[in-house]
Each structure stands twice: as C-alpha cells, then as structure tokens.
Amino acid sequence: MRVARWLSCFVLSGILGQSGGAWAQDDVPMPTLPGEELPQGGSVTTRAAHEAAMMPGFAALVERLLPAVVNISVSSVIHPDEQQPDGPDGSTPSGPQSSPFPPGSPLEKFFHDYLHRRHADGHPARQVQALGSGFIIDPSGVVVTNNHVIDNAQQVSVTLSDGTEYPARIVGRDSKEDLAVLQVKADRPLPSVPLGHSDDARIGDWVLAIGNPFGLSGTVTAGIISSRKRNVDHGLYDDFIQTDAAINHGNSGGPLFNLKGEVIGINTLIYGGSGGDSIGIGFAIPSDDARGIINQLRQTGHVRRGWLGVRYQDVTRNMAEDLDFWKADVPGKERGTGAIVAEVSKDGPARKAGLQVGDILTALNGQPVTGQTLPRLVAGYQPGETVHFTFWRRGSYQTLDLTLGRNPDEKDPLPSDTHPPEHPVKTLKELGVKLGVVDEAARTQYGLTDSQRGVLVMRVYEGSPAASRGLTEGNLVLQVGQQEVNTPEALQAALDRARELKRTDILLLVQDGEGLRWVAVPLGGQQPQP
C-alpha cells in the first residue's frame, strides 16, 4: 500500500505543480499513514525521500550474487517428425510462430534467435542451440539447473557472468523432479551460492530471480513469494513455490534468492500468455525438496526413491464424515486428514508391513501427510530405509515400521563417467561392430567433448553390415530409431526388438566428424568372426 500511495501522490503533485497548484511547494506537509509519523519537517520532497529510503534496494546483493549465476548453452538433436515436449509454460520449446516485439528491435532478434528453431518437414535431423540458466553451488565447479534445460543434449557449455566459457559434463539428472547437476573444470575456485531453507520462507517475502531470459544474460527480476506448496499437476512430486518475479523462457534452471542471498528455489515453470511471456505466475522447486536430490546426483549420478507399494487418495471432508475419522488430538471436534489406501500391491513393502485397504496414513516419521504430500515425502527416502508410519484403522490410531522398497517400474539410470555400466564393452556380431561406452579414456582418445553421450564404435569388422554402410571407428551411435542409447546393452536390446519384429534393417543415428546422419544397417547376412 505504501508504494502505491507514494506513486499516486507523486503523479498528483506533478499535475498540480504544472497548473500552479499549492501541493508542488516543498513546505506543504503530507498526511501520514495510519500509525506512522512523518519525519521532522516533513514535506513533499522529504516524504518522497522517506518513502524511497523505506523501499528495499537490491544492488549490493545482486552484485554479490551475479558471478555465481551462469548461462547454459545446449547443443541438441531435432528430428523432422519428432513431437517436441512441452516447454516450461506448456508451449513448445521453439516458441510461438510470430514475435511479440517490434520488427528490427534488439528483443525481436533475441526472440528470433532463441525461440524460432522450428524445422521444415522432410529436413534431416540437425543440431540446434538452446539457452538456459543455472547456478554454482560449489567452488569446484558444480552447477545446478533443470533437467529439461539439458534434455537430449549432445554438448553442454557453461558461461560465467564475466564471459568465461567452460565445457560441462553431466554428472546426473532426474526427470521426475526436473533437476540436473553439471561439472565444469576451471583453473580457479569459482564463485558459488549456498542452498537456503525454503521451509522457512513465508508468503509475502521478497525474492530475486536471476537468469538468462530470451538470451539476455544476467537479468535480475524482483517479486514476492505469492504462495507455497503449489500443485499444478506437472508431476507426482509437485510442491512448488509460486512467485510473481518475472520469469520467462531461458530463466529455467536459474536461482530464486531470498534477501540473505540464499537459493530457496530453482525456477522451473511459468504460466504465460500466447507467446509464453511472463504474466507474474512462476514456479520454483523448493530448495529443501531439491537438496536431497542434488546430493544423490552428485554422489551416484542418479536418484533412487523409496517405494511404498500402495495406491491412495486424499481424504476429503465427506470421506472423513462417512468414516467418522477425527484428528487424534481433538477427537470429536476436527475431522482428520491423511491419505486413504485404495489398493495394496502384491509383494510390496506396504503389504509385508501389514497395511490394508481402508487404512488412512496420517504421519510419516512424525510429519503429517495427505494424499498430495505422501508421494513427495516417501520419495525423500531411499529404498531399504525404514520409516515410521502413524495410521488410522477402524476408529483407532496405530503405528508401524515399514522398510521401503524400489519401484519395479523405475528405469535404470543412464551411465556417466563417474558411474559406468556393469559391462562397458560389447561385440554385436550381427552388425559386425565392437561397441563401448563414452568414458574419460574415450573422450581423450577420440577428442570427444565432456558432455557427449551415445555408444562408441570401437571397431568395425571387414565385410560386416556396419562396414557396408560406412560406419568407422570413433563414430557415436546416438539413437536407434527414436530411442536414445547410451550403453552397448541398450543397443543390443534395440537390436533384439528389431529382430522380434522381423525387421530387415535397424536405423541408427550416427555422429561423426561431419555431423549427424541416419544409417540403415541390414540385419542378417554374413557375420564376421571377431
């Protein structure tokens, strides 16, 4: 209210000043706000200075934070017939068809360069550049960003605020929480920022967003926390901070700071207009949710989440009334809240522990749960950990200890240099190639970048189907059809599926020194002996 009131007084005083009104005189006192006293000798000028002094200033804080916020440049592969995933605001990553900015303006150029990357039907697969944001959390060069920023990336580079650019290696990524950790090798300690405690943040607190919207590096926007614990049906683990700080394309992966200079959120989603532009509704992953994910990614390169083995629903007020379900500490006065079990998986951890259909889970390790918060809380623990549940059954509260399992539907993680697969080398006789993973030794030998992924062709046997199609040592196989491959085992599995479908050839996306090309390698025929 104080800001709006000061602005309205300023405009009104200017109008009256132009028409000779008395309010333009410096010696005319201004009325005070309720419960507020005007400084001694208060006038229009003094009052304006008083109001300005009470407004928050961010310059010193921004000067300290900017060096730790980075721009992320990604080289990815786009296919003509591939349906692109939704961008952070629900639009396609390549943006709208027309620019909202005046033709020839600098912003129109940024818009064109950043968003207009659509490809014509029938064109071959090609590499394109995209931009995002991130921040350094460790002076050794550990960078945090969104997974969707580096999704499908073949090369990733990080640019500091001073213009220094480094190639980046993907340490680990988690699509469910939309987080990724990168590593750059610098010849000096890099500026970093700490992760704060988002649970301490309150609605109405000031926050700063710093990032790379539309390619405009080092952009700072300010706002407040508009709400917390937002579920926008983006995923199973929704628990977003909502902010009105302006967030646009390119801000993804950037930090949301509190006034202590701590990262309390990772900017991830926006609700935008027709062009995906900011309308003051942005969402950030809370730092207290991200901290454990980031630690797992740094340690193991992937995330393991605990699995309960139940299907459940949020307990509505009508359900609570029908079941005569009350809170334990106020029986008969306040209806209970929790997650009611609708199905118990066979041989799952919940069944082994004795949970039944109709039980209402009310607390996990002393923390209250609902149908909305239960998946996120369970996911915060790893398979094999034992947790303590409080639950309601047929009129009484009970407790049990439960050892969480691993979700049988969870995919195996992608390999990384730090965490190679169990079998890094494999010979596929049917294709006539010897394959390996892209590790540190391969990068050195074949001059590959730190972020390149795929399956390395280590040898092509003479007279083989692969040799007949021009595959050579040092090529990378990135995809089989529309499926990415990163290990020899994954390529073998794709080959087995093609054989089951009685295909006559297998389509590979191959990268060599000239770029990308599709290669159809015939199946069957002569199988050379390695």
Side-chain angles (χ1 to χ4, degrees):
M1 289 299 294
R2 178 174 293 135
V3 176
R5 187 167 182 267
W6 178 80
L7 288 173
S8 63
C9 290
F10 177 82
V11 172
L12 184 57
S13 66
I15 294 172
L16 293 178
Q18 291 175 4
S19 60
W23 277 22
Q25 303 301 316
D26 288 344
D27 56 353
V28 178
M30 291 289 291
T32 60
L33 297 174
E36 180 185 31
E37 293 184 2
L38 191 66
Q40 189 71 25
S43 63
V44 174
T45 305
T46 9
R47 178 54 183 271
H50 174 56
E51 292 284 2
M54 299 186 67
M55 291 293 293
F58 307 120
L61 180 61
V62 168
E63 188 177 356
R64 175 162 58 91
L65 300 177
L66 268 175
V69 181
V70 301
N71 298 337
I72 296 176
S73 177
V74 176
S75 177
S76 303
V77 178
I78 282 186
H79 309 293
D81 55 350
E82 182 178 287
Q83 182 178 1
Q84 296 299 307
D86 286 345
D89 64 339
S91 65
T92 58
S94 50
Q97 294 284 357
S98 60
S99 170
F101 304 114
S105 68
L107 284 179
E108 195 275 338
K109 180 181 182 301
F110 278 115
F111 183 90
H112 181 278
D113 292 346
Y114 180 68
L115 294 181
H116 285 190
R117 298 188 178 92
R118 294 191 185 277
H119 46 275
D121 292 340
H123 284 194
R126 60 191 178 92
Q127 285 189 310
V128 296
Q129 298 293 320
L131 300 175
S133 305
F135 55 97
I136 304 170
I137 62 169
D138 190 289
S140 64
V142 179
V143 178
V144 173
T145 186
N146 283 143
N147 177 66
H148 77 257
V149 170
I150 53 93
D151 197 23
N152 298 322
Q154 300 305 321
Q155 297 181 17
V156 181
S157 62
V158 167
T159 304
L160 306 186
S161 61
D162 62 5
T164 307
E165 185 174 354
Y166 298 102
R169 177 173 60 86
I170 300 174
V171 174
R173 50 194 292 183
D174 176 47
S175 61
K176 292 183 179 179
E177 197 75 22
D178 198 9
L179 290 170
V181 174
L182 312 177
Q183 176 73 58
V184 300
K185 293 182 179 179
D187 55 0
R188 57 187 171 90
L190 298 179
S192 62
V193 287
L195 288 175
H197 292 286
S198 56
D199 288 348
D200 296 337
R202 301 174 301 168
I203 296 174
D205 281 350
W206 281 100
V207 287
L208 297 177
I210 305 181
N212 186 35
F214 299 108
L216 299 169
S217 61
T219 296
V220 183
T221 55
I224 62 168
I225 294 178
S226 304
S227 188
R228 293 189 52 202
K229 299 187 179 299
R230 284 298 197 200
N231 184 340
V232 294
D233 294 326
H234 181 66
L236 188 61
Y237 308 108
D238 281 14
D239 182 39
F240 292 111
I241 295 173
Q242 180 183 334
T243 179
D244 68 347
I247 298 173
N248 290 283
H249 287 280
N251 273 114
S252 288
L256 188 70
F257 290 106
N258 61 18
L259 295 191
K260 297 179 182 178
E262 301 168 331
V263 179
I264 60 168
I266 297 94
N267 299 319
T268 300
L269 292 168
I270 59 174
Y271 279 162
S274 60
D277 52 309
S278 175
I279 58 173
I281 302 178
F283 300 95
I285 301 169
S287 59
D288 281 325
D289 288 359
R291 182 178 285 102
I293 303 295
I294 292 170
N295 288 339
Q296 283 198 59
L297 292 177
R298 294 181 66 179
Q299 294 169 9
T300 66
H302 59 271
V303 175
R304 294 294 192 196
R305 292 180 171 85
W307 179 59
L308 190 55
V310 298
R311 294 182 63 185
Y312 46 83
Q313 298 171 244
D314 199 23
V315 176
T316 65
R317 181 176 180 82
N318 288 340
M319 287 182 185
E321 291 177 352
D322 291 343
L323 296 172
D324 199 26
F325 170 47
W326 304 90
K327 285 193 174 181
D329 51 349
V330 283
K333 293 184 179 181
E334 187 175 352
R335 295 293 177 183
T337 58
I340 185 169
V341 177
E343 182 181 343
V344 182
S345 301
K346 182 181 179 181
D347 298 327
R351 173 161 293 188
K352 293 177 182 178
L355 282 179
Q356 302 174 8
V357 173
D359 290 346
I360 298 178
L361 303 174
T362 60
L364 169 59
N365 284 347
Q367 188 169 356
V369 302
T370 64
Q372 177 181 332
T373 63
L374 181 61
R376 179 175 59 85
L377 294 175
V378 171
Y381 298 91
Q382 296 192 41
E385 287 193 71
T386 299
V387 295
H388 184 75
F389 272 107
T390 301
F391 67 99
W392 182 91
R393 177 184 290 172
R394 299 184 183 89
S396 64
Y397 281 87
Q398 303 179 37
T399 61
L400 61 80
D401 290 329
L402 185 151
T403 301
L404 298 172
R406 177 189 173 189
N407 191 332
D409 297 329
E410 187 177 80
K411 295 181 180 180
D412 289 329
L414 294 175
S416 69
D417 296 348
T418 311
H419 315 283
E422 185 177 354
H423 303 290
V425 177
K426 191 176 188 65
T427 298
L428 301 186
K429 294 183 179 180
E430 189 163 356
L431 298 184
V433 292
K434 182 180 181 181
L435 304 173
V437 296
V438 181
D439 55 17
E440 198 66 34
R443 296 182 197 282
T444 301
Q445 181 177 353
Y446 296 101
L448 304 176
T449 66
D450 285 343
S451 60
Q452 282 184 283
R453 292 292 186 270
V455 181
L456 177 67
V457 178
M458 302 178 66
R459 182 178 177 185
V460 178
Y461 296 99
E462 186 177 353
S464 67
S468 70
R469 293 299 187 264
L471 266 68
T472 60
E473 179 183 349
N475 288 171
L476 287 179
V477 179
L478 308 181
Q479 293 185 193
V480 178
Q482 295 298 312
Q483 179 184 351
E484 292 184 23
V485 290
N486 288 277
T487 64
E489 289 92 341
L491 204 156
Q492 173 73 72
L495 181 63
D496 293 340
R497 285 193 295 273
R499 190 182 298 109
E500 291 173 2
L501 295 172
K502 303 186 184 305
R503 299 278 174 82
T504 59
D505 54 37
I506 185 169
L507 188 62
L508 307 179
L509 179 62
V510 178
Q511 183 177 33
D512 57 21
E514 300 298 322
L516 297 167
R517 60 191 174 100
W518 286 103
V519 179
V521 180
L523 298 177
Q526 179 183 1
Q527 298 183 16
Q529 297 299 318

